[in-house]
Amino acid sequence: MALFPTYPRSDLKPVRGEGPWLWDETGRRYLDFTSGLGVCNLGHAHPRVKEAVREQLDRLWHVSNLFRIPLQETVAGKLAEESGLAFSFFCNSGAEAVEAAIKLARRYGREHKGLERPEVITFHSSFHGRTLATLTATGQTKVKAGFDPLPGGFRHLPYNDTGALDEGLTGNTAAVLLEPVQGEGGVIPANPGFLKRLEERCREKEILLMVDEIQTGMGRTGDLFAFRDFGVRPDVVTLAKGLGNGVPVGAMMGRKGLDRHFGPGSHASTFGGNPLAMAAAHAVLKELTESDILTRAREMGECLDSRLRQRLHSHPAVVDIRGKGFMWGVEMDRPVGPLLPVLKEKGLLAVAAGPRVLRLLPPLVTGEEEIEQAAAIIEDSLQHWEEVDANGSVPRV
Ligand SMILES: Cc1ncc(COP(=O)(O)O)c(C=O)c1O
């Protein structure tokens, strides 16, 4: 394989997808509870997105941001309507969206607050990307190993620790960046009281509250944006993953007034917001806001919650079951790595979040029968997993 070995890949080769299902090259079908790492929220090959991208392919793919792109303006307008944030900057990935937010925060810190060394506060166990700035923002040491010297201007506080906010936010703080539910860090929802207090502290000190919705956004937690459910009003929000349902697109949204700090020449991205990506994002937004998919996702999210609890709660290896909507984590008392191939053999694809959390990110179109099937596979696999423990090797299933 002429590829850098950066990913610990399974040997599965998916060749086709539809809704929550993937097929490999032998024709075997798998229930995909990874959604391409929280990307295909509407399911694989969603007809509305497929049609929109196909139509756009026939018309125009790319023109650069030297020209007006009507679809980009429409998508930005729709995002503004739904988020209350007046402006969008489009890019191609999550890390790029967070990078834009960090740059905006630094400009704001300098120009609005007069700071010489504006700092951005993030939280332990957070994940914000793999570029140098975003991995420095990330609150996990494993992503930083060997990549120093790292950029300065970041400090990390304990997540969900209201007491740490009072001293943690200082006169040099330009912005606080957090995930409303930490994804890669182990599916850890913010405590609503913590988020409310953080919002108050940010308002008092004119600190930007920046919410990273790259994993939680676009319906994943049962609302278009998780922050709406928590009742807070961020100044900046980052999006990617589900925004294009598989077509690479990211966005950094900011409130009125922040446009002053991001004028011509301050930031750019060649591909950002091109007509092809915007056709996908537009179709995704229309589907999420015009159909009943979010209502269904909330109902089915409750169904997933209850099936997981019914089948797994009393298992001795299960420490905790937590999540929101279609974003769930099952914390175990041991590493979950060996469980993933067992689930795959039984036809379920899932992913880990940290060493001990099994993460489930099914597409929002997943139905009751499929949820039942997935919960039964996990329960069954845990029996085999006990054999792994006893024998010290992965059983043949
Ligand atoms: C919350 C969060 N922020 C940022 C990122 C980085 O996104 P990308 O991999 O598209 O750069 C991720 C990716 O998992 C994420 O979950």
Side-chain angles (χ1 to χ4, degrees):
M1 237 193 287
L3 296 168
F4 274 111
T6 49
Y7 301 102
R9 292 178 199 269
S10 129
D11 56 6
L12 182 72
K13 297 179 193 145
V15 293
R16 189 166 73 83
E18 195 180 313
W21 297 98
L22 280 178
W23 284 262
D24 70 11
E25 82 279 24
T26 70
R28 183 160 181 214
R29 190 169 83 146
Y30 297 85
L31 203 41
D32 182 10
F33 271 39
T34 72
S35 301
L37 286 178
V39 167
C40 303
N41 289 5
L42 300 180
H44 295 285
H46 189 274
R48 190 170 195 166
V49 185
K50 191 160 62 175
E51 203 40 49
V53 172
R54 196 174 270 162
E55 269 183 26
Q56 193 61 44
L57 270 174
D58 283 339
R59 218 174 305 141
L60 182 65
W61 302 5
H62 181 85
V63 291
S64 95
N65 286 294
L66 296 178
F67 304 106
R68 285 185 66 174
I69 300 173
L71 255 178
Q72 198 183 103
E73 294 172 20
T74 307
V75 173
K78 187 80 183 153
L79 286 173
E81 211 177 281
E82 295 291 338
S83 67
L85 299 170
F87 301 103
S88 282
F89 173 89
F90 291 104
C91 51
N92 314 286
S93 68
E96 226 191 311
V98 175
E99 191 86 24
I102 293 166
K103 283 181 71 176
L104 176 61
R106 287 185 173 186
R107 276 277 177 104
Y108 168 85
R110 279 172 197 284
E111 295 168 3
H112 180 78
K113 301 186 76 178
L115 303 177
E116 270 181 31
R117 296 189 59 78
E119 64 172 12
V120 174
I121 302 289
T122 63
F123 294 91
H124 297 166
S125 305
S126 61
F127 185 83
H128 299 293
R130 297 282 196 156
T131 61
L132 279 173
T134 60
L135 73 80
T136 308
T138 292
Q140 302 183 44
T141 47
K142 67 179 185 204
V143 303
K144 309 181 196 209
F147 293 119
D148 49 317
L150 301 175
F154 295 94
R155 226 158 23 86
H156 303 91
L157 297 180
Y159 192 63
N160 276 338
D161 183 344
T162 308
L165 296 176
D166 291 342
E167 283 194 7
L169 309 190
T170 71
N172 284 325
T173 309
V176 176
L177 169 69
L178 96 166
E179 296 158 272
V181 180
Q182 290 189 332
E184 306 297 307
V187 191
I188 306 167
N191 179 331
F194 168 74
L195 211 48
K196 261 311 205 203
R197 181 76 186 132
L198 176 61
E199 183 185 34
E200 281 164 21
R201 301 297 288 159
C202 285
R203 292 284 170 271
E204 281 163 28
K205 299 185 168 221
E206 293 195 82
I207 292 169
L208 297 180
L209 175 60
M210 310 204 298
V211 177
D212 182 344
E213 293 261 10
I214 286 160
Q215 194 159 148
T216 51
M218 309 315 289
R220 174 57 52 198
T221 62
D223 200 346
L224 190 62
F225 308 118
F227 76 77
R228 297 204 303 202
D229 228 24
F230 284 95
V232 294
R233 294 185 52 192
D235 300 291
V236 170
V237 167
T238 54
L239 293 176
K241 291 190 184 277
L243 182 57
N245 209 57
V247 174
V249 50
M252 188 274 293
M253 304 186 282
R255 67 156 162 79
K256 207 165 139 211
L258 293 179
D259 52 322
R260 200 177 314 141
H261 309 290
F262 236 32
S266 56
H267 198 46
S269 172
T270 298
F271 294 124
N274 82 7
L276 199 59
M278 290 297 101
H282 187 226
V284 167
L285 275 168
K286 278 172 81 80
E287 181 65 15
L288 286 171
T289 55
E290 291 172 7
S291 77
D292 64 352
I293 190 166
L294 288 180
T295 312
R296 240 191 110 258
R298 275 192 290 276
E299 283 167 19
M300 285 299 114
E302 281 171 22
C303 172
L304 179 59
D305 179 4
S306 79
R307 294 301 182 280
L308 290 175
R309 286 183 203 285
Q310 272 164 17
R311 289 198 176 261
L312 309 179
H313 202 250
S314 58
H315 193 284
V318 173
V319 174
D320 192 18
I321 300 173
R322 54 179 181 254
K324 225 169 159 40
F326 266 128
M327 181 171 177
W328 285 87
V330 181
E331 185 177 344
M332 310 277 185
D333 66 358
R334 64 200 84 174
V336 295
L339 184 62
L340 300 177
V342 181
L343 294 173
K344 190 194 82 178
E345 277 311 305
K346 291 173 181 292
L348 177 68
L349 306 179
V351 64
R356 293 173 193 272
V357 178
L358 178 71
R359 185 169 31 151
L360 303 169
L361 300 170
L364 310 182
V365 293
T366 307
E368 199 167 346
E369 205 177 303
E370 292 134 354
I371 287 171
E372 181 59 56
Q373 200 175 329
I377 291 176
I378 300 170
E379 184 184 31
D380 194 40
S381 301
L382 286 180
Q383 310 310 324
H384 287 286
W385 198 26
E386 279 174 348
E387 291 161 30
V388 177
D389 256 18
N391 306 333
S393 62
V394 181
R396 296 173 71 82
V397 282

